[in-house]
Amino acid sequence: MPNTVVVGAQWGDEAKGKVVDCLAQTARMVVRYGGGSNAGHTVTAGGETFKFHLIPCGILYPDVVCVIADGVVIDPAVLTEEIAGLHARGRTSDNLHISANAHVIMPYHRILDRLSEESKGDSALGTTGRGVGPAYADKSSRIGIRVHELIDPNRLASRLREQVADKNRIIQHVYGGEPLDADAVVSEIQAYAEVLKPYVRDTVSLVGKAARNGGGVVFEGAQGTLLDIDLGTYPYVTSSHPIAGGACIGTGAGPTSITDVIGVAKSYTTRVGAGIFPTELLDEIGDGIRERGHEYGTTTGRPRRCGWLDAVVLRYAALVNGLTRLSVGHLDVLSGLETVKIAVGYQLADGYTEDLPVDLPNRTDLVAVYEELAGWDEDLTGVTEAEGLPANCMAYIRRIEELTDVKIGSVSVGPAREQMILLS
Ligand code: IMP
């Protein structure tokens, strides 16, 4: 069976959860490899809608082994709440496994995330405020607390006391904030640890062996290619590796075990937070896309910035992720537009390019160059097979394939499982 990475091909929020959910039906294992509770994945199944921040989408299939792997930063408050939420709706969490090596987001990480953003004023990054950046910073500084320490009560207390003292110095003396009470933090986190302990194990061998022996592993990406800490639009990025390579870094599965990389994209582009967005629509077309596409953050509720599809971004995603297929969603949202546009290149002061400029975030001279295609009026939400798609919609799909040189394996016309159409 293949080992498939599902990766966001844009700036996140591409509805990867739905693609993972479809693949999970025939998978053995679904593995979340990076990010934290900054992510929000929505899955609609059997008329019920589930929103996950940390738990892999495959959890709704009790026979699928679900793993939160090493590369994820886990907020124990969020994870225990998600587990309780599953139980409250009669779903099992017995198929969930948490890496002993994953790092833990502590209350001070959330506080530092907020204080750091506030102190930046107009140049704030627009983070989700979930403590993700500060937790990864501790990991890189080699002072982070990992899950195996979380579930060891003696070690947890001493590590937390040392870290709270350290962070209080920054909270008070750098930002003028209120210090945390170490005892209160220890008892809060210990309570979460009790709940999470039964799920903790060595997931490196679990995932690595599954990927090598028989396959059937789906690696669930969070965020998107252009939010990658190294290959994204730095500094307006997240602090992890959303790209396909992150699936290896964050789990222990070797690169040669990956057989398929699906890039998930919307039929247009969205972005939340600050940073350059070459095809942004600051007009009624953008507003219409936002309303029809319900483009408000799953995690923060923030309105998303909306714009035309950007083939430069998709080509870049194809390159750095080694995409074998694309899955294009939200096609129904574009219905009713007289014409639809795709950015095919960028005009810069020093010339025209069809490649993503390395200094993209700093480019003030960039003008997107568009190709305009005929739109379609038909409501697509009830279409179940490719033959039912309007000719202009199909022409749009085929043009994306030509511009990216990647085959589109599926499109979706709504949030439900049944609204995914396979293409040949
Ligand atoms: P952080 O990951 O919360 O530190 O936020 C850093 C940047 O990544 C901000 O621009 C966020 O809006 C963006 N970001 C983080 N997670 C997501 C996501 O799941 N979808 C879309 N954008 C995200």
Side-chain angles (χ1 to χ4, degrees):
M1 289 172 85
N3 292 316
T4 307
V5 183
V6 177
V7 65
Q10 297 160 318
W11 275 280
D13 305 318
E14 300 92 349
K16 296 173 287 295
K18 191 177 159 183
V19 175
V20 173
D21 179 60
C22 284
L23 294 172
Q25 294 174 37
T26 52
R28 289 202 298 156
M29 186 179 278
V30 178
V31 187
R32 172 79 187 271
Y33 62 81
S37 37
N38 47 354
H41 292 174
T42 307
V43 181
T44 304
E48 276 190 285
T49 298
F50 294 83
K51 288 184 196 296
F52 302 116
H53 297 288
L54 285 165
I55 292 183
C57 294
I59 199 76
L60 300 179
Y61 302 95
D63 294 335
V64 175
V65 175
C66 288
V67 178
I68 301 178
D70 304 39
V72 179
V73 284
I74 298 175
D75 186 328
V78 175
L79 185 52
T80 49
E81 195 180 317
E82 284 188 14
I83 292 172
L86 277 175
H87 296 171
R89 294 169 77 177
R91 303 281 178 153
T92 183
S93 59
D94 290 353
N95 47 336
L96 178 67
H97 304 279
I98 303 169
S99 166
N101 282 344
H103 281 251
V104 182
I105 295 184
M106 295 296 182
Y108 46 79
H109 291 130
R110 287 194 300 268
I111 292 170
L112 287 170
D113 195 353
R114 180 176 53 76
L115 290 171
S116 157
E117 281 285 273
E118 281 169 14
S119 75
K120 289 192 179 87
D122 286 347
S123 47
L125 301 178
T127 73
T128 60
R130 301 299 154 111
V132 168
Y136 278 116
D138 276 4
K139 169 176 168 169
S140 293
S141 303
R142 293 153 293 177
I143 55 170
I145 298 179
R146 299 205 287 179
V147 168
H148 66 82
E149 295 175 296
L150 173 78
I151 59 170
D152 175 345
N154 294 326
R155 187 142 177 85
L156 176 68
S158 70
R159 291 292 332 272
L160 267 177
R161 283 183 206 291
E162 149 212 311
Q163 281 303 305
V164 170
D166 205 34
K167 298 300 189 289
N168 274 347
R169 280 194 285 277
I170 303 172
I171 291 171
Q172 286 181 280
H173 303 305
V174 175
Y175 297 113
E178 285 296 312
L180 284 164
D181 174 354
D183 289 337
V185 174
V186 170
S187 60
E188 180 195 343
I189 301 300
Q190 265 169 353
Y192 299 136
E194 286 305 307
V195 179
L196 299 181
K197 195 170 180 171
Y199 301 95
V200 178
R201 60 182 291 179
D202 161 19
T203 62
V204 173
S205 37
L206 182 72
V207 177
K209 284 178 188 167
R212 277 178 84 87
N213 308 322
V217 181
V218 178
F219 296 90
E220 176 179 348
Q223 290 83 42
T225 301
L226 292 192
L227 290 174
D228 188 272
I229 183 82
D230 283 317
L231 296 176
T233 46
Y234 190 92
Y236 299 100
V237 292
T238 190
S239 301
S240 61
H241 294 288
I243 58 161
C248 297
I249 296 170
T251 67
T256 49
S257 63
I258 309 287
T259 52
D260 217 358
V261 183
I262 301 179
V264 186
K266 282 178 184 159
S267 56
Y268 45 92
T269 312
T270 65
R271 170 157 210 188
V272 285
I276 192 162
F277 183 175
T279 61
E280 184 165 16
L281 284 164
L282 296 166
D283 58 12
E284 67 279 5
I285 298 181
D287 294 343
I289 290 175
R290 183 177 310 105
E291 291 316 309
R292 288 193 303 280
H294 312 290
E295 294 296 354
Y296 294 88
T298 316
T299 301
T300 60
R302 288 183 290 182
R304 295 181 184 137
R305 300 158 67 192
C306 298
W308 294 119
L309 191 74
D310 191 335
V312 181
V313 164
L314 293 189
R315 270 196 297 269
Y316 181 76
L319 187 77
V320 301
N321 294 301
L323 297 186
T324 53
R325 276 181 288 162
L326 273 167
S327 176
V328 176
H330 292 63
L331 264 180
D332 53 305
V333 174
L334 294 186
S335 288
L337 293 170
E338 207 172 306
T339 59
V340 283
K341 293 189 186 178
I342 305 176
V344 293
Y346 301 147
Q347 187 61 51
L348 305 165
D350 45 351
Y352 173 77
T353 180
E354 294 188 347
D355 293 327
L356 202 81
V358 283
D359 54 353
L360 179 71
N362 306 327
R363 283 287 182 167
T364 48
D365 57 339
L366 183 151
V367 179
V369 176
Y370 291 102
E371 201 172 283
E372 195 160 3
L373 287 85
W376 57 92
D377 271 332
E378 294 86 340
D379 174 7
L380 306 185
T381 54
V383 178
T384 52
E385 45 195 32
E387 291 67 36
L389 292 169
N392 287 350
C393 178
M394 206 37 135
Y396 183 67
I397 293 167
R398 295 299 177 215
R399 189 65 188 131
I400 299 169
E401 287 182 325
E402 283 166 11
L403 288 168
T404 57
D405 201 19
V406 183
K407 190 113 193 78
I408 299 181
S410 61
V411 294
S412 79
V413 291
R417 276 179 184 166
E418 311 71 56
Q419 289 172 303
M420 176 84 90
I421 302 168
L422 298 181
L423 302 183
S424 53

